[in-house]
Amino acid sequence: MTVAEGRSRESRVEVLTKPSEQATDRDRAANRGFIDPARLHEVLDGHDNVLVFCHMNPDPDSLASGLAMKHLLERRFGKTVFLTYRGIIGRAQNREMVRILLPELKRFSQVEELDFSAAVLVDAQPQFGFNPEDLAEQDVPVVACVDHHPFVDSTRDLPYFDVRPDLGATSTIMTEYLRLFSVVPSSSVATALYYGIKTDTLGLTRRTSDHDRAAYEYLLPFVDHEKLMAIESPPLTRSYFRDLRDALQTARVFGKLVVTHIGRLPYPDMVAEIADLLLKVEGVSWSVCMGLFEGLLYVSVRTEDPEGDAGVFIRQVVGDLGQAGGHNTMAAARLPISAQDAAEYGAKRNTLMARMLDRLDLTEVEGVDLVS
Ligand SMILES: [Mn+2]
């Protein structure tokens, strides 16, 4: 899918609905996502209290999808739902989104009584920086997931899954669920979903399908624009600007690639924020930012190279040093570092660096400082 892809006249929501008996093995094997209302009812049957999980260190798409899933399960399924996440919500915009639209959100570690018999994942699949085993220990099996990341084989073991990697945002899929189940979104839910689609698709320019455009249009009349503006332009701390300065000063340009790192991250998704920014450098089509947070080396990759695939790239670069994954334009990885060891952090960074230059045929290219 490209930016230039024209807007379809037929952009009405097209949801594939099938009774569960028609959800064939062939569909599942073909990794085909669809909404299966009967099956969703079936897998949630008997579970009155449901945990809904955003992905690790959730972004707006994940937060919005979680909120919409909670909304749906409460309104149409009569469940008591607790929305939660693991990791850290760091980006100022994301914190503002939570403050304004999801004040009830709590970290998983703050969930006091585990009085839940089922969990649902949104914008994530089992093994996405999130350990279903931990939940299994607490007797909270994951019964369903709705996601748009590349399909992971073990997801097939879940009783219900709707994974559609060709869609730009999980918020799009959740908008289709609300429409199919005739749940009119509240202004908070609609604003969250709209922002989720907007950020994941860069305002409908990246990895955007007709489904995304249709959902975006559907949500628009329900959006609270003042809240949206407040979320998109939050106050930024002085330490944010200091980290930004450090990242820019450290950045090196190798032809089409720009790479930087931050010693200690204030929060994990700062690497994504910096990678997004650096992709705007003139003449650059690949950007990478690395950083250290609580014993993990985080890597974020962005590319606008139509021939490139950031997900494949980062998996090849990281190899067995850690976990990696992503889409064709954006990807991420996490590598364990023993006990905040600065030397090991430097060594792993250098290893990744050498492999990146090799993968992109840039070993002969002399690196220069981005700013000097
Ligand atoms: Mn997403």
Side-chain angles (χ1 to χ4, degrees):
M1 273 155 285
T2 64
V3 179
E5 214 172 53
R7 165 179 287 229
S8 166
R9 287 244 143 236
E10 311 278 357
S11 62
R12 73 192 171 80
V13 176
E14 209 172 86
V15 285
L16 292 163
T17 60
K18 299 181 174 193
S20 59
E21 62 271 19
Q22 284 176 25
T24 62
D25 287 347
R26 194 170 51 86
D27 281 323
R28 287 170 190 267
N31 173 20
R32 179 158 168 202
F34 49 83
I35 305 177
D36 188 342
R39 181 75 186 140
L40 190 57
H41 268 288
E42 200 178 301
V43 304
L44 290 167
D45 193 39
H47 302 293
D48 293 333
N49 300 327
V50 179
L51 270 175
V52 171
F53 264 95
C54 304
H55 67 55
M56 192 86 176
N57 308 322
D59 63 6
D61 183 36
S62 194
L63 292 167
S65 300
L67 183 63
M69 182 61 87
K70 179 180 194 293
H71 203 61
L72 173 70
L73 297 184
E74 286 174 346
R75 300 290 162 90
R76 274 294 168 269
F77 291 69
K79 308 293 182 188
T80 301
V81 179
F82 198 93
L83 179 59
T84 189
Y85 70 102
R86 286 190 171 172
I88 289 198
I89 299 172
R91 205 185 268 235
Q93 289 84 347
N94 302 0
R95 298 175 79 92
E96 200 70 352
M97 177 182 181
V98 171
R99 192 181 69 77
I100 294 174
L101 302 177
L102 305 86
E104 74 273 35
L105 184 72
K106 274 192 179 163
R107 279 188 85 164
F108 184 60
S109 58
Q110 293 171 327
V111 180
E112 282 170 7
E113 278 169 50
L114 275 178
D115 194 15
F116 302 93
S117 57
V120 173
L121 299 184
V122 291
D123 201 40
Q125 294 170 58
Q127 301 187 354
F128 275 23
F130 152 81
N131 301 315
E133 307 82 47
D134 297 348
L135 283 177
E137 267 170 36
Q138 312 270 11
D139 280 331
V140 189
V142 177
V143 297
C145 95
V146 174
D147 188 28
H148 74 130
H149 290 91
F151 190 73
V152 174
D153 254 353
S154 60
T155 296
R156 196 167 282 118
D157 299 334
L158 295 183
Y160 184 92
F161 61 88
D162 181 355
V163 178
R164 297 188 240 170
D166 50 335
L167 265 58
T170 301
S171 293
T172 296
I173 308 180
M174 286 313 305
T175 303
E176 293 184 354
Y177 275 78
L178 295 181
R179 295 185 73 175
L180 182 70
F181 285 94
S182 306
V183 177
V184 175
S186 67
S187 138
S188 289
V189 170
T191 306
L193 289 169
Y194 187 85
Y195 186 53
I197 299 171
K198 188 175 183 184
T199 50
D200 258 28
T201 64
L202 285 180
L204 302 185
T205 64
R206 174 175 70 188
R207 213 179 55 229
T208 307
S209 69
D210 286 347
H211 290 250
D212 300 300
R213 281 182 278 269
Y216 208 61
E217 273 177 24
Y218 168 76
L219 293 167
L220 187 58
F222 303 106
V223 171
D224 183 324
H225 290 277
E226 274 179 35
K227 285 183 179 169
L228 184 62
M229 182 51 111
I231 291 165
E232 289 183 315
S233 311
L236 299 170
T237 61
R238 291 177 66 173
S239 71
Y240 174 85
F241 288 97
R242 193 189 56 226
D243 290 330
L244 184 61
R245 177 201 62 196
D246 292 349
L248 295 177
Q249 265 172 358
T250 309
R252 303 267 295 167
V253 181
F254 298 84
K256 62 182 176 181
L257 169 71
V258 57
V259 186
T260 193
H261 61 86
I262 297 172
R264 192 148 302 177
L265 295 163
Y267 48 89
D269 54 2
M270 179 111 193
V271 287
E273 220 167 328
I274 300 291
D276 277 335
L277 177 66
L278 290 181
L279 194 60
K280 297 175 185 178
V281 174
E282 191 175 34
V284 154
S285 55
W286 288 84
S287 67
V288 174
C289 182
M290 298 180 269
L292 188 61
F293 186 85
E294 290 181 357
L296 288 170
L297 191 173
Y298 283 83
V299 189
S300 185
V301 181
R302 298 287 184 270
T303 185
E304 50 191 26
D305 180 351
E307 309 287 295
D309 188 314
V312 171
F313 171 78
I314 194 66
R315 277 193 293 275
Q316 287 172 340
V317 164
V318 169
D320 57 7
L321 295 176
Q323 287 183 302
H327 307 284
N328 49 350
T329 55
M330 52 201 294
R334 297 185 309 158
L335 288 69
I337 301 286
S338 48
Q340 305 279 326
D341 185 329
E344 189 187 343
Y345 174 50
K348 286 237 167 91
R349 242 178 28 224
N350 290 341
T351 304
L352 295 179
M353 189 68 214
R355 290 183 185 177
M356 284 189 248
L357 293 174
D358 185 49
R359 293 288 330 156
L360 296 175
D361 284 327
L362 297 170
T363 43
E364 304 296 313
V365 176
E366 185 101 26
V368 293
D369 287 340
L370 173 67
V371 286
S372 43

